[in-house]
């Protein structure tokens, strides 16, 4: 069980660090909201530790050690770590899920780029769908169809984030757009990284990414009715708020270079009202057949992991052919090289 003091610390961190999630979390029942706040606090800590740290590889390796301690039942003496260790015990959280998140952060640390939309989906599966799958575990949902739709929502949200932050990412030396789309549109990657401009070609690529996100939002909505009744409104609200960010990007002509899309409190209230209406509809109408759509191939490993109630908690890299072993070995080699170069 999460210590109330640790939970209070986690809620403060989310209130100041993720307004959209904090607003949606208030619509969840306390039995889900409390562990969800702790989960997001740990994930936010992980993301910030890498994003804001100059030595990104070292930050990921440190997070690896912290997660190891959480699963060993001996978390670091910090509120977010203790709270996450409690979640692991209370909900039998499959290790592959936070492991996938760490893998996505490791890809950021080595500045991986993605040639195709499938590659972007694979990245989004790790940094976003893994969190969606963990949210399902907190709701005691282990149905593969519901998990697949939760993973759709995670990918859709991440695609929205990418579309919104193209200019910010380019100025920081990052690109998450599919490289083949950029090449096809005639967008020069080196020029984009050196001096990003909202050209018609780049706006077209951003619009194309938002279209992909919209298709996944529609698929994801079919799964919300499979969640516990008390949790549906909060998930609808989160979906509508993020989809609304995408619409704001479109309203700006898909120019996320010279501007960054924001949503207002009034808009959020409107989406919450829409979420309440949609929740009511799920109480009276049958579920859409779309819920049974096959999961994206890029998220299948998350669905399989979350659906298993008796999954053993093995060592890092078990079950996925050494993918994690390889990426962490790369980070360790980079860290060793950096240390050798230090005066």
């Amino acid at each position: 069980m999460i210590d109330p003091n640790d939970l209070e610390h986690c809620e403060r961190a989310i209130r100041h660090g993720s307004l959209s999630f904090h607003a949606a979390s208030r619509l969840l029942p306390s039995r889900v909201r409390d562990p969800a706040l702790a989960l997001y606090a740990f994930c936010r800590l992980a993301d910030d530790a890498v994003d804001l740290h100059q030595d990104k590889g070292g930050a990921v390796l440190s997070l690896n050690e912290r997660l190891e301690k959480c699963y060993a039942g001996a978390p670091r003496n910090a509120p977010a770590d203790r709270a996450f260790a409690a979640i692991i015990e209370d909900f039998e959280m499959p290790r592959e899920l936070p492991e996938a998140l760490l893998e996505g952060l490791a890809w950021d640390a080595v500045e991986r780029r993605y040639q195709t939309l499938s590659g972007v989906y694979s990245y989004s599966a790790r940094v976003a769908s893994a969190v969606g799958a963990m949210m399902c575990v907190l709701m005691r949902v282990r149905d593969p169809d519901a998990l697949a739709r939760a993973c759709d929502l995670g990918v859709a949200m991440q695609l929205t984030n990418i579309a919104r932050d193209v200019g910010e990412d380019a100025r920081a030396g990052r690109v998450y757009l599919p490289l083949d789309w950029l090449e096809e549109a005639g967008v020069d990657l080196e020029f984009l990284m050196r001096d990003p401009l909202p050209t018609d070609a780049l706006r077209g690529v951003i619009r194309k990414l938002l279209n992909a996100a919209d298709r996944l939002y529609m698929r994801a909505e079919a799964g919300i009715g499979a969640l516990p009744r008390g949790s549906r409104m909060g998930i609808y609200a989160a979906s509508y708020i993020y989809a609304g960010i995408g619409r704001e990007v479109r309203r700006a002509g898909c120019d996320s270079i010279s501007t960054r899309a924001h949503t207002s409190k009034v808009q959020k209230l409107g989406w919450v009202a829409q979420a309440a209406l949609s929740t009511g509809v799920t109480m009276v109408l049958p579920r859409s057949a779309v819920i049974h759509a096959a999961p994206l191939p890029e998220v299948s490993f998350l669905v399989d992991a979350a659906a298993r109630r008796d999954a053993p908690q093995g060592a890092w890299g078990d079950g996925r052919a050494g993918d994690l072993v390889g990426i962490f070995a790369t980070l360790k080699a980079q860290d060793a090289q950096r240390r050798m170069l230090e005066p």
Side-chain angles (χ1 to χ4, degrees), residues 123-179:
Y123 169 71
S124 301
R126 286 155 177 80
V127 298
S129 294
V131 181
M134 286 190 276
M135 282 292 297
C136 283
V137 171
L138 300 186
M139 297 176 199
R140 310 288 185 185
V141 173
R142 301 286 185 128
D143 174 69
D145 287 337
L147 288 163
R149 303 290 74 80
C151 289
D152 283 343
L153 182 56
V155 173
M157 288 177 165
Q158 187 60 31
L159 296 186
T160 301
N161 282 339
I162 291 170
R164 179 192 60 190
D165 296 339
V166 171
E168 180 180 318
D169 286 335
R171 285 184 282 271
R174 301 186 296 258
V175 60
Y176 295 101
L177 296 170
L179 298 183

Side-chain angles (χ1 to χ4, degrees), residues 26-40:
R26 296 174 67 180
L27 304 175
L28 296 170
S30 60
R31 68 179 182 278
V32 177
R33 180 180 64 248
D34 290 351
L37 288 170
L39 169 64
Y40 264 73

Side-chain angles (χ1 to χ4, degrees), residues 39 43 67 71 84 92-104 125-127 129-138 142 147 151 299 301-308 313 316 320:
L39 169 64
C43 294
L67 199 59
Y71 272 92
F84 191 72
E92 299 180 351
M93 182 65 69
R95 183 169 181 158
E96 294 97 325
L97 303 182
E99 182 179 276
L101 173 63
L102 262 284
E103 184 179 18
R126 286 155 177 80
V127 298
S129 294
V131 181
M134 286 190 276
M135 282 292 297
C136 283
V137 171
L138 300 186
R142 301 286 185 128
L147 288 163
C151 289
V299 307
F301 75 100
L302 297 171
V303 174
D304 292 342
R308 293 201 311 273
Q313 305 299 344
W316 283 89
R320 278 199 291 127

Side-chain angles (χ1 to χ4, degrees), residues 213-235:
D214 285 345
R215 290 191 290 271
L216 290 171
Y217 281 121
M218 287 188 286
R219 276 172 43 120
E221 189 161 339
I224 298 179
L227 302 177
R229 291 186 178 186
S231 298
R232 294 176 194 176
M233 185 173 170
I235 304 306

